[in-house]
């Protein structure tokens, strides 16, 4: 075997091991969550159920109840195994990092997980109630509003992903500054564009009411500022000649 191919095969075997571990942990969590999918469904629909007194969501498709619970279990398993997944990613790239960079792995994994969960919690406890009360308030008296459970779950998943990744902005800023891709000073110069971009993103991923758009755009701007503060504290990676 060629000596040039050996390092590549080692990396591929390592990647396969990490992927298998991630998949096995996810499957174990998925089956556990599927057992409690009914309770998880009730928890997910609680914000909408609060504005629909004495009314349940409808499910039209024949297999929709089962598929709905599969989606819920998959989403819950993804959240539960997120720390393990992030650790496997960092463990795969860690051999190519310097000693001082490896010290950032645990803080980045922990902060990424907590920020993603914080974004989901913010959407669930603050955004959903505002959005659903707004929608319920504009329904005409002559109209019966029958939300479909499948469409509701797609909406919830989309919002969870949008807010979860939005709350990862500080981590992204810290990593970019630390790798030397951009400086904190340059990011601060870009602040007006970031603010405009935040409201554009909020307008795309949220319902068409101003309040819910602001509830995404304003935290996005604040998280950007937080990322700049933390990035200045962490600093940039040392030049190659100064690496330990």
């Amino acid at each position: 075997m060629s000596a040039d191919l050996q390092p590549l095969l080692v990396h591929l075997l390592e990647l396969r091991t990490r992927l298998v571990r991630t998949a096995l942990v996810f499957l174990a969590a998925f089956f556990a969550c599927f057992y409690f999918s009914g309770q998880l469904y009730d928890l997910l629909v609680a914000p909408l159920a609060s504005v629909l007194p004495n009314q349940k969501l409808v499910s039209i498709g024949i297999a929709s109840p089962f598929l709905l619970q599969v989606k819920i279990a998959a989403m819950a398993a993804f959240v539960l195994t997120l720390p393990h997944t992030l650790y496997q990613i960092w463990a795969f790239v860690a051999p190519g990092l310097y000693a001082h960079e490896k010290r950032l792995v645990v803080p980045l994994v922990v902060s990424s997980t907590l920020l993603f969960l914080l974004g989901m919690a913010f959407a669930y406890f603050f955004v959903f109630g505002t959005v659903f009360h707004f929608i319920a308030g504009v329904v005409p008296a002559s109209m019966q509003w029958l939300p479909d459970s499948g469409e509701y779950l797609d909406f919830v998943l989309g919002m969870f992903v949008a807010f979860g990744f939005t709350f990862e902005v500080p981590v992204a800023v810290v990593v970019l500054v630390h790798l030397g891709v951009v400086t904190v000073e340059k990011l601060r110069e870009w602040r007006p564009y970031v603010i405009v971009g935040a409201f554009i993103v909020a307008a795309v991923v949220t319902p068409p009411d101003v309040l819910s758009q602001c509830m995404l755009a304003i935290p996005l701007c604040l998280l950007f500022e937080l990322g700049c503060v933390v990035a200045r504290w962490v600093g940039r990676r040392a030049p190659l000649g100064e690496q330990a």
Side-chain angles (χ1 to χ4, degrees):
M1 181 181 296
S2 173
D4 295 335
L5 293 178
Q6 290 181 356
L8 176 60
L9 291 177
V10 171
H11 287 302
L12 291 177
L13 290 174
E14 176 69 12
L15 177 61
R16 184 188 67 176
T17 300
R18 298 295 176 185
L19 290 175
V20 169
R21 290 177 180 175
T22 301
L24 290 177
V25 171
F26 175 81
L27 287 175
F30 170 80
F31 288 114
C33 293
F34 186 80
Y35 181 79
F36 298 100
S37 57
Q39 293 88 331
L40 293 174
Y41 171 80
D42 293 337
L43 182 65
L44 278 178
V45 301
L48 181 57
S50 63
V51 300
L52 295 174
N54 303 320
Q55 183 179 331
K56 297 180 180 180
L57 276 70
V58 299
S59 184
I60 301 176
I62 296 176
S64 293
F66 172 75
L67 296 177
L68 190 68
Q69 294 179 73
V70 170
K71 287 184 179 181
I72 293 174
M75 181 188 67
F78 168 78
V79 173
L80 290 176
T81 60
L82 184 60
H84 178 265
T85 302
L86 292 175
Y87 173 77
Q88 293 299 324
I89 295 174
W90 281 110
F92 177 71
V93 302
L97 301 177
Y98 294 97
H100 73 284
E101 292 175 330
K102 292 180 181 179
R103 289 194 292 267
L104 290 176
V105 170
V106 173
L108 286 176
V109 170
V110 173
S111 61
S112 297
T113 303
L114 292 179
L115 286 171
F116 193 91
L117 295 177
L118 183 61
M120 294 179 61
F122 182 81
Y124 182 86
F125 290 106
F126 296 100
V127 179
F128 288 172
T130 302
V131 172
F132 299 146
H133 277 91
F134 169 79
I135 297 175
V138 299
V139 176
S142 57
M143 178 187 298
Q144 185 177 7
W145 184 29
L146 298 174
D148 178 74
S149 56
E151 292 184 0
Y152 173 78
L153 179 61
D154 291 339
F155 170 81
V156 168
L157 291 179
M159 294 291 283
F160 278 160
V161 170
F163 277 85
F165 280 108
T166 295
F167 275 60
E168 297 290 341
V169 167
V171 175
V173 171
V174 170
V175 171
L176 290 176
V177 172
H178 183 69
L179 294 178
V181 177
V182 68
T183 63
V184 176
E185 291 72 20
K186 181 62 67 174
L187 287 174
R188 294 193 183 280
E189 292 179 8
W190 293 347
R191 182 183 289 114
Y193 303 102
V194 172
I195 295 175
V196 174
F199 279 91
I200 293 176
V201 171
V204 172
V205 302
T206 60
D209 63 286
V210 177
L211 183 57
S212 61
Q213 293 173 5
C214 291
M215 293 180 72
L216 176 60
I218 293 176
L220 182 56
C221 296
L222 295 177
L223 289 167
F224 170 78
E225 296 295 335
L226 175 63
C228 291
V229 172
V230 177
R232 182 177 295 278
W233 176 68
V234 173
R236 180 180 175 177
R237 181 180 62 185
L240 185 58
E242 301 176 12
Q243 301 285 4

